[in-house]
Amino acid sequence: MKLIVSLLSAALLAQGGDARWAERLAFWMRGDLRRIDQRITEIDAALGTLPVIEQINSSSSIGFKTDFMPDEDVLWVEITLAQPEQVDSVVLVPPLAKGATGVVAGYGFPIRFKIEIFDATDAAALAMDETARDYANPGCHPVIANFHPREVKRVRLTATKPWQRDGPPVLALAEMLVFSGGRNVALGATVTSTSSRDLPLSWSRRNLVDMVTPLGLPVASGPRGTAGFHSAVASKPDAAKTVTITLPSTLPLDEIWLVPVRRREVPLWFDYGFPIRFKLEAATAPDFSDARLIFETTARTPQPPGMNLLRFKAGQIPARHIRITATDLWKRRDDFVFALAEVQAMSGGKNVALGATVVADDALAAGDEWSPAALTDGRVETGPLLPLPAWFAQLEQRRVLEQERARLTTTRETLLADAQRTLVNGSVGGTLGITLLSGVLLWRQRRTRLRDAQRLHDKLARDLHDEIGSNLGSIRLICSFASQPGSTLEAMRADLLDIERVAAESADSMRDMVRLISPRHTTESQGWLDVLHGLTERLLRGHTLDCALPAAPLTREPDIETRRELYLFCKEVLHNIARHAQATRVRFHITPAGDGLRVEISDDGIGFDPQHDGAGNGLGNLRERAHAMGAGFTLESRPGHGTTIQLDVPRSHRWQPR
């Protein structure tokens, strides 16, 4: 038996460069691996239904942190509510901030800590106790302490073992929220602490209760909505714009929430169209003759909200009409606009503005993307809005599942490593002939791998040579035209623009190819999928794009050769759409399907007859690339009815676990 295992081990070692040979041979652990893989599949399915955090500082405010005072053994921060409230949960949101070694998710979050709550008589109770063992850093995911509703006046977080990396101990948080039902009663509360690192806008005690976090908007995983309300474009910033919301009936308002618009086509448009100065009013009369001022901007340059809710206390004033007047508009490029994604009016923990009537003094005519009615439909462009407690609960569920998935992945790798060691150690007792045979087969495997690596190197070099060389030739040709006698200034400007465009395409192709083959991934990037997303947005600029890539990490990543072929296949299809299809809408989806990936690309362009001779060359290239990946390829098109392409890429043994 030992001899047979040795022979099989050596033979399978020669077939592949990974540890899958151990998985095939180690029959005693197949049940454990099957259970782990099944649970990972279940977790991936559950993660696909949960919201995803943005994990980006979209506002100047980062949060609160203590000063650098190494003499302090215990650090604490405390918030005092304006009045005692019936509280049922406390939420801690860790910050995203620069530490000694770079930007860190969960910077300053305590390693051991406790949360205490105090009533009006100063009687204390423990809401959460994590002082007995080290708490795994949650990144930017919220940490929630739930308890039976009770009266609370103060909430204190004590770090019994503070964060300490390459420097003195520090306690930092992006936000502390205290919920009474669905209301965050900590908004604007008084904050005290052992010390405070006060830096303009970035760090301060008041930042702990300003509702600014790196999490983004509270959006559920679900059907997408419209962008929101957009005013007509103005040529001056002081062109006042007004939008009025009429509720179904007169109700006492607790709070009014404004939701900014996130436009992803420009990286820094976190709060697109949000006015620099504005006024928020409520009234029972439709002519606002009894208007009550809820909020009015007093500073000329207030801090922009970024991807955060703006909440304004209304003090339970009775109202049926809400009016927002933008008096200093948001500068877009050379013009000025006013835009909001959603307005919510809270009464008794319920959004009573849902479905309310909206009237604006002017609005942008933009089809289905913008409309006044979208201001009260309960959705933003990326999906439906969630109540804050439900959103935080789902984010905590995501954190728990992601941690479980990481543990299962580590357990799986450990099982495989143990099996590999067992098989290898068993083969040591084989005969000298087995050892020699293993050496020969390993040598052949190394030669095969080197030959494959050289072949891939040659393909990548040829890809770059063909595209970069062609583009350099185009630049040289344009330069020769520009240098001819009689060239006008306008012609030379046009030539320079062509040179800039070709050079940008060359740089994009080089960058894409480098990122495509890079084996490095981070929690913030999925590498080659981001390359495809960037390629799609570049080539289809100006089109209405429905682009959906896997939100959760894949269980196995395609090998470099498959990623290259997939990139070139998609690039050729998207290039053809941009240049020839005359389309307005394009759908580009990549989804895990069965035992591999499914790529679906469709457009509403002019279409073509696939049987016509003129279409044969381009289709032949696509079929060759599909064949190289062993993928199933289908194409449906006819004149006047657009084109749909589907590519089913099977998983091969060269795909690596993430």
Side-chain angles (χ1 to χ4, degrees):
M1 180 64 184
K2 195 173 185 180
L3 182 60
I4 294 174
V5 171
S6 300
L7 285 168
L8 288 173
S9 301
L12 289 172
L13 273 169
Q15 291 181 15
D18 56 24
R20 296 194 67 185
W21 62 273
E23 182 176 343
R24 291 192 291 268
L25 281 178
F27 55 86
W28 61 88
M29 65 168 190
R30 286 176 188 164
D32 292 336
L33 290 178
R34 191 179 300 111
R35 284 188 291 272
I36 290 174
D37 289 342
Q38 181 178 353
R39 180 55 184 157
I40 288 177
T41 300
E42 293 171 353
I43 290 174
D44 289 341
L47 290 174
T49 65
L50 296 174
V52 179
I53 63 174
E54 293 284 351
Q55 196 161 299
I56 185 171
N57 288 323
S58 58
S59 172
S60 305
S61 171
I62 299 176
F64 156 82
K65 72 173 178 179
T66 55
D67 205 353
F68 299 126
M69 300 177 66
D71 293 338
E72 296 175 345
D73 295 327
V74 177
L75 305 178
W76 58 266
V77 61
E78 179 179 283
I79 62 174
T80 302
L81 307 181
Q83 60 187 23
E85 300 276 1
Q86 285 294 314
V87 172
D88 51 49
S89 64
V90 175
V91 179
L92 309 179
V93 181
L96 178 69
K98 190 176 186 305
T101 58
V103 177
V104 180
Y107 168 85
F109 195 83
I111 299 172
R112 299 190 183 190
F113 63 94
K114 62 181 177 179
I115 300 174
E116 297 171 284
I117 51 178
F118 301 83
D119 63 16
T121 66
D122 248 10
L126 268 177
M128 191 172 188
D129 187 358
E130 296 291 341
T131 58
R133 60 185 183 279
D134 290 356
Y135 192 86
N137 189 279
C140 287
H141 286 84
V143 176
I144 305 176
N146 291 306
F147 44 87
H148 291 296
R150 58 183 299 159
E151 181 186 274
V152 172
K153 175 65 175 176
R154 292 187 296 123
V155 179
R156 173 178 287 204
L157 169 67
T158 303
T160 57
K161 183 178 180 182
W163 165 286
Q164 186 171 5
R165 288 189 185 178
D166 302 329
V170 65
L171 168 62
L173 282 178
E175 191 77 7
M176 183 186 291
L177 303 95
V178 180
F179 281 104
S180 175
R183 293 187 305 125
N184 173 27
V185 294
L187 184 64
T190 302
V191 180
T192 54
S193 60
T194 49
S195 62
S196 177
R197 178 71 168 171
D198 290 324
L199 295 175
L201 298 181
S202 299
W203 298 104
S204 72
R205 288 188 175 99
R206 65 175 177 271
N207 289 352
L208 188 64
V209 289
D210 62 357
M211 282 296 295
V212 175
T213 75
L215 303 178
L217 296 174
V219 181
S221 175
R224 297 172 65 87
T226 53
F229 162 75
H230 195 300
S231 72
V233 177
S235 58
K236 296 181 179 180
D238 57 354
K241 305 283 186 180
T242 300
V243 61
T244 303
I245 300 163
T246 300
L247 306 178
S249 61
T250 300
L251 294 166
L253 299 184
D254 299 320
E255 296 175 337
I256 298 175
W257 301 0
L258 305 184
V259 184
V261 175
R262 170 71 164 112
R263 301 295 287 172
R264 296 182 183 275
E265 59 266 30
V266 176
L268 296 180
W269 282 3
F270 298 122
D271 39 29
Y272 173 87
F274 198 88
I276 305 301
R277 301 182 68 179
F278 66 96
K279 181 167 59 173
L280 179 61
E281 300 169 283
T284 59
D287 61 354
F288 280 80
S289 56
D290 60 347
R292 299 279 296 273
L293 182 66
I294 304 298
F295 175 81
E296 184 172 12
T297 311
T298 55
R300 174 62 183 81
T301 56
Q303 183 174 333
M307 290 185 290
N308 297 281
L309 296 176
L310 272 80
R311 304 177 67 181
F312 302 97
K313 295 181 178 179
Q316 292 192 325
I317 61 172
R320 187 176 183 187
H321 307 279
I322 299 170
R323 184 168 65 191
I324 305 166
T325 305
T327 56
D328 192 353
L329 304 183
W330 189 82
K331 183 176 182 181
R332 191 165 56 176
R333 291 189 178 91
D334 298 321
D335 52 24
F336 302 88
V337 299
F338 169 37
L340 282 175
E342 187 79 6
V343 174
Q344 297 187 337
M346 308 305 295
S347 177
K350 181 182 178 182
N351 175 23
V352 296
L354 189 63
T357 304
V358 181
V359 177
D361 53 8
D362 62 36
L364 183 69
D368 296 333
E369 185 179 13
W370 302 97
S371 73
L375 202 57
T376 56
D377 63 357
R379 298 178 182 273
V380 296
E381 188 174 16
T382 52
L385 288 168
L386 278 171
L388 288 179
W391 182 52
F392 283 123
Q394 291 188 28
L395 290 181
E396 184 177 43
Q397 185 181 358
R398 169 173 283 277
R399 174 175 64 89
V400 171
L401 289 175
E402 287 179 350
Q403 289 177 345
E404 181 185 357
R405 192 185 192 285
R407 289 194 298 270
L408 289 172
T409 301
T410 301
T411 301
R412 192 183 197 284
E413 292 172 352
T414 302
L415 285 173
L416 287 175
D418 291 344
Q420 188 171 351
R421 281 194 297 269
T422 299
L423 292 170
V424 171
N425 291 338
S427 66
V428 170
T431 62
L432 179 61
I434 297 298
T435 304
L436 292 175
L437 177 60
S438 299
V440 170
L441 292 174
L442 286 171
W443 172 76
R444 288 182 59 187
Q445 177 209 9
R446 188 170 183 272
R447 280 187 56 192
T448 301
R449 291 179 63 186
L450 289 174
R451 185 169 62 250
D452 291 342
Q454 184 62 43
R455 184 168 63 249
L456 178 59
H457 175 275
D458 292 342
K459 287 181 179 179
L460 294 174
R462 184 168 62 252
D463 292 339
L464 291 175
H465 176 272
D466 290 346
E467 183 153 358
I468 304 303
S470 173
N471 288 349
L472 290 176
S474 299
I475 291 174
R476 182 177 180 184
L477 182 61
I478 295 170
C479 290
S480 69
F481 290 152
S483 63
Q484 289 179 356
S487 296
T488 65
L489 181 59
E490 290 300 319
M492 293 181 69
R493 285 176 177 168
D495 291 337
L496 287 174
L497 288 175
D498 283 341
I499 290 173
E500 181 184 18
R501 177 182 56 79
V502 175
E505 290 176 356
S506 302
D508 288 337
S509 294
M510 179 74 76
R511 189 182 304 109
D512 281 354
M513 198 60 70
V514 171
R515 290 184 64 197
L516 195 69
I517 66 176
S518 173
R520 295 176 296 175
H521 301 281
T522 69
T523 58
E524 302 172 349
S525 172
Q526 295 192 42
W528 67 277
L529 287 173
D530 288 340
V531 172
L532 289 180
H533 187 270
L535 172 71
T536 306
E537 292 191 335
R538 287 200 311 271
L539 292 182
L540 298 180
R541 190 178 293 113
H543 293 71
T544 299
L545 179 62
D546 175 12
C547 182
L549 304 179
L554 300 174
T555 56
R556 285 188 174 273
E557 291 281 355
D559 57 285
I560 294 175
E561 178 71 11
T562 302
R563 296 203 299 264
R564 168 187 168 273
E565 291 290 352
L566 191 56
Y567 170 85
L568 295 175
F569 179 96
C570 294
K571 184 175 183 180
E572 184 160 352
V573 174
L574 298 174
H575 185 272
N576 288 339
I577 292 174
R579 179 161 295 186
H580 305 298
Q582 301 179 28
T584 58
R585 295 179 179 272
V586 181
R587 182 176 185 269
F588 179 75
H589 283 202
I590 296 181
T591 55
D595 196 27
L597 292 173
R598 170 167 290 178
V599 181
E600 297 172 284
I601 307 174
S602 60
D603 65 74
D604 64 350
I606 60 175
F608 64 96
D609 182 0
Q611 304 302 321
H612 192 269
D613 291 339
N617 190 37
L619 290 181
N621 291 339
L622 295 180
R623 289 192 177 98
E624 287 181 7
R625 296 203 183 279
H627 179 73
M629 291 182 280
F633 171 78
T634 58
L635 181 144
E636 296 180 5
S637 182
R638 55 194 177 101
H641 291 80
T643 302
T644 299
I645 289 176
Q646 180 173 304
L647 184 75
D648 289 301
V649 184
R651 181 190 299 173
S652 76
H653 69 277
R654 294 193 302 270
W655 288 29
Q656 296 292 323
R658 186 175 178 86

